[in-house]
């Protein structure tokens, strides 16, 4: 048995709002309290950690991560900050020169941010790369620009649904292209990509990641390898999901908690593949695409409910979200409401949802896994959502406050590599929503990014620092004082009064410096240590 006493800081705990110390025994929190009581513990523990005013919080849970894809993006061509198409092509050329003969994998381009207003063509990629296999995913990872060498390796890409010509692939064509490049990865490359992602997550105070795998992203062996890695190395815990229909045997073989996550009912707003009930404002010829029909979605939810697995889907457009929620309701008619609630199903993204569907999610206990940085990047009157959908529909996107008010369990995530790993930035984005009335309080957003992630994985413990809870926590250097920030100014004065007993959090006002993680501990074991 090993005991560690942390003292002399601030411990974010609803069990003891004014806590300055915490005792951990093995993999559990044993006690939370103040300095006077800590004195009685100090002589009997194995280690005393003097916090020096640092903040201790539950470690974050990122509820939507693509681990291998994130690592590949970190090691590949970063196109997120390129100012132009010409700049992106130069980045491809520089990468190809540095690794002769290697595949060129890149991520993050967004034609809406380039003066050329278009993606690269296959011929342009051929010239830039010297004829290499090139795969460059758009920022939403639902469209890719491909080189001729990649197309020659699988001519079927050019005949699959979603082929746009000139090297641009969406939908099934994109899935084929990505699959080809991922199948060429060596096991050592996969492991390196996964390890760099989990280490980066730990360095950001993330203790748990939900791995959202699916056959159109990576083969099942990739998920199996990730689980082995997480068991062997001192890294974050991994909660595994596999997104595939009719795959109960595969779920058992992989040991996943759900057939959920990137089981895509539609695409994305940015790629104009999210399934809408009306046409796109900037492309009136299309409503997007619904990938799975209602009856098949219902059958999946029923099968998962009976098997005791979480069901879930990627659903962004209002038509896709309605199909998903209708499927949960139909499954409740078949299996019973109690069985559906017990199964703890979930839904990813949920960006366009009406009040009646919000109420159904709450009634059936379906968790919403959401990504607040989407709104920060693409929301607002002049953002991408407004351009694709028109301002009225865009203003209803990502209604975080409405979901929370209805009692829907919210779990925050990044969808990395779509948006970077960065939990404090996600909490700030949720509390600074571009649409008035849709923001969460900082406290509510923090809870959704900690305890909410555990609950979305079907686990009722975790995400809080209290006796008996898992010792999964992070230690932070915080610039400035701890404060209480509310989404509604009317409660701010009450909640900052010490008599309210509300523990403080870092100042996450726009522009404020974010906390720095000094140590991340998962179930009593350090997985990141920059304590010095």
């Amino acid at each position: 048995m090993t005991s560690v006493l942390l003292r002399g800081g601030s411990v974010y705990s609803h069990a003891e709002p004014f806590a300055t110390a915490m005792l951990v025994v093995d993999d559990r929190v044993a006690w939370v309290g103040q300095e006077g009581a800590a004195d009685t513990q100090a002589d009997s523990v194995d280690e005393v950690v003097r916090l020096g005013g640092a903040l201790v919080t539950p470690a974050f849970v990122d509820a939507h991560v693509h681990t291998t894809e994130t690592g590949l993006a970190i090691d590949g061509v970063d196109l997120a900050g390129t100012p132009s198409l010409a700049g992106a092509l130069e980045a491809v050329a520089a990468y190809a020169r540095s690794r002769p003969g290697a595949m060129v994998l890149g991520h993050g381009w967004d034609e809406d941010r380039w003066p050329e207003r278009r993606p690269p063509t296959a011929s342009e990629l051929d010239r830039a790369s010297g004829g290499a296999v090139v795969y460059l995913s758009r920022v939403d990872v639902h469209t890719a620009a491909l080189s001729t060498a990649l197309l020659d390796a699988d001519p079927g890409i050019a005949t699959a649904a979603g082929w746009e010509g000139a090297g641009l692939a969406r939908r099934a064509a994109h899935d084929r292209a990505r699959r080809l490049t991922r199948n060429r990865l060596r096991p050592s490359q996969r492991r390196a990509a996964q390890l760099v992602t989990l280490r980066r997550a730990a360095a950001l105070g993330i203790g748990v990641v939900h791995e959202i795998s699916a056959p159109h992203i990576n083969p099942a062996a990739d998920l199996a390898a990730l689980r082995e890695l997480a068991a062997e190395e001192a890294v974050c815990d991994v909660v595994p999901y596999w997104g595939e229909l009719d795959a109960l045997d595969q779920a058992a073989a992989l040991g996943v908690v759900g057939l959920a996550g990137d089981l895509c009912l539609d695409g994305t707003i940015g790629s104009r593949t999210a399934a809408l009930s009306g046409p796109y404002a900037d492309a009136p010829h299309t409503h997007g695409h619904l990938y799975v029909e209602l009856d098949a979605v219902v059958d999946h939810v029923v099968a998962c409910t009976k098997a005791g697995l979480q069901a879930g889907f990627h659903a962004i457009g209002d038509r896709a979200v309605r199909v998903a929620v209708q499927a949960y309701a139909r499954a409740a008619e078949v299996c019973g409401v109690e069985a559906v609630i017990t199964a703890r199903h979930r839904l990813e993204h949920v960006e366009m949802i009406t009040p009646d569907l919000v109420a159904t999610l709450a009634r059936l206990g379906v968790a919403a896994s959401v990504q607040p940085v989407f709104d920060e990047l693409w929301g607002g009157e002049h953002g991408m959502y407004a351009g694709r959908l028109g301002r009225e529909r865009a203003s209803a996107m990502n209604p975080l406050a409405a979901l929370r008010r209805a009692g829907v369990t919210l779990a925050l995530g990044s969808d990395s590599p779509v948006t970077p790993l960065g939990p404090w930035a996600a909490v700030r984005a949720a509390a600074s929503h571009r649409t008035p009335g849709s923001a969460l309080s900082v406290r509510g957003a923090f809870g959704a990014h900690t305890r909410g992630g555990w609950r979305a994985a079907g686990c009722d413990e975790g995400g809080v620092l209290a006796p008996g809870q898992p010792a999964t926590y992070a230690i932070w250097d915080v610039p400035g004082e701890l404060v209480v920030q509310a989404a509604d100014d009317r409660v701010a004065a009450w909640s900052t009064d010490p008599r309210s007993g509300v523990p403080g959090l870092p100042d996450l006002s726009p522009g404020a410096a974010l906390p720095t993680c000094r140590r991340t501990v998962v179930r009593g074991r350090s997985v990141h240590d920059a304590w010095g």
Side-chain angles (χ1 to χ4, degrees):
M1 186 173 69
T2 302
S3 56
V4 179
L5 176 66
L6 296 86
R7 64 181 304 182
S10 297
V11 179
Y12 186 84
S13 173
H14 298 291
E16 174 51 78
F18 306 109
T20 63
M22 181 172 76
L23 176 65
V24 173
V25 177
D26 292 336
D27 62 351
R28 295 276 163 172
V29 175
W31 169 85
V32 177
Q34 298 184 45
E35 282 304 299
D39 289 337
T40 66
Q41 310 270 2
D43 292 337
S44 60
V45 298
D46 297 305
E47 180 185 2
V48 175
V49 176
R50 299 194 178 276
L51 296 170
L55 172 66
V56 182
T57 72
F60 286 103
V61 179
D62 193 315
H64 193 124
V65 174
H66 304 288
T67 306
T68 303
E69 295 295 290
T70 298
L72 293 174
I74 291 170
D75 185 57
V77 184
D78 182 5
L79 301 174
T82 51
S84 64
L85 170 58
L89 292 170
E90 176 51 40
V92 168
Y95 187 93
R97 288 193 299 268
S98 70
R99 305 190 189 193
M103 284 193 300
V104 179
L105 303 179
H107 168 70
W109 60 268
D110 183 352
E111 74 281 15
D112 291 337
R113 296 179 181 270
W114 289 344
E116 297 92 344
R117 303 291 292 181
R118 66 172 180 85
T121 65
S123 59
E124 289 171 331
L125 294 178
D126 296 343
R127 289 193 294 271
S129 68
V133 169
V134 182
Y135 167 93
L136 305 180
S137 54
R138 191 181 184 278
V139 62
D140 57 6
V141 201
H142 279 253
T143 300
L146 316 175
S147 69
T148 300
L150 195 160
L151 294 167
D152 288 345
D154 181 6
I157 293 170
T159 61
W163 172 247
E164 302 282 334
L168 192 66
R170 310 185 200 275
R171 300 163 58 206
H174 171 235
D175 293 343
R176 288 186 70 129
R178 175 165 53 185
R179 190 179 302 117
L180 184 151
T181 62
R182 278 34 179 180
N183 286 340
R184 290 189 173 191
L185 294 174
R186 298 187 303 274
S188 59
Q189 290 175 296
R190 290 186 185 279
R191 183 180 178 90
Q194 293 168 349
L195 193 56
V196 73
T197 300
L198 296 181
R199 285 177 173 167
R200 177 167 291 191
L204 293 168
I206 298 169
V208 183
V209 298
H210 295 188
E211 166 57 28
I212 307 299
S213 293
H216 66 274
I217 300 174
N218 272 303
D222 182 88
L223 179 56
L226 174 62
R227 297 199 67 197
E228 291 177 5
L229 172 66
E232 295 167 359
E233 300 281 347
V235 291
C236 309
D237 278 342
V238 173
V239 179
Y241 288 92
W242 182 250
E244 186 177 11
L245 296 172
D246 303 319
L248 293 178
D249 290 344
Q250 183 72 285
L254 290 171
V256 298
V257 300
L259 288 170
D262 257 21
L263 206 173
C264 292
L265 299 189
D266 68 345
T268 65
I269 303 295
S271 288
R272 299 187 187 88
T273 50
L276 307 182
S277 57
Y280 280 83
D282 63 350
H285 63 280
T286 182
H287 290 58
H289 302 276
L290 185 68
Y291 299 158
V292 187
E293 295 299 328
L294 176 59
D295 287 346
V297 180
V298 173
D299 290 345
H300 181 75
V301 178
V302 169
C304 288
T305 301
K306 291 181 176 179
L309 289 170
Q310 289 180 286
F313 309 93
H314 162 120
I316 287 180
D318 58 343
R319 185 182 176 202
V321 172
R322 184 165 292 277
V323 166
V325 179
Q326 286 176 335
Y328 295 127
R330 290 255 302 264
E333 295 173 1
V334 174
C335 303
V337 171
E338 184 176 350
V340 169
I341 293 173
T342 300
R344 308 284 285 271
H345 300 311
R346 57 188 285 167
L347 192 57
E348 307 300 312
H349 309 310
V350 204
E351 291 200 75
M352 299 179 73
I353 186 168
T354 55
D356 61 313
L357 300 183
V358 171
T360 301
L361 289 184
R363 178 173 66 88
L364 298 178
V366 179
S369 168
V370 298
Q371 295 75 41
V373 177
F374 286 7
D375 174 75
E376 182 179 88
L377 290 177
W378 302 313
E381 292 186 358
H382 305 289
M384 182 270 289
Y385 292 147
R388 295 284 193 270
L389 304 172
R391 290 186 181 180
E392 183 177 353
R393 282 188 294 178
S395 67
M397 295 287 290
N398 299 295
L400 305 183
L403 288 161
R404 183 173 179 82
R405 282 195 302 270
V408 175
T409 295
L410 288 181
L412 271 55
S414 62
D415 196 8
S416 181
V418 176
T419 68
L421 298 169
W424 285 115
V427 172
R428 176 159 62 190
S432 305
H433 201 292
R434 291 176 179 271
T435 301
S438 290
L440 301 176
S441 67
V442 169
R443 182 186 180 199
F446 181 81
H449 218 339
T450 50
R451 188 182 182 195
W454 289 77
R455 289 173 62 83
C459 185
D460 286 325
E461 70 169 13
V464 294
L465 299 181
Q469 291 291 311
T472 296
Y473 60 91
I475 303 175
W476 306 91
D477 274 343
V478 178
E481 298 295 321
L482 299 179
V483 297
V484 177
Q485 295 163 283
D488 187 337
D489 291 340
R490 292 173 298 177
V491 300
W494 169 82
S495 59
T496 54
D497 188 328
R499 291 171 297 178
S500 69
V502 177
L505 283 167
D507 180 5
L508 299 182
S509 302
L514 296 176
T516 301
C517 184
R518 298 290 298 275
R519 181 177 292 175
T520 305
V521 175
V522 174
R523 292 176 286 108
R525 181 174 67 166
S526 177
V527 298
H528 166 72
D529 198 340
W531 198 251

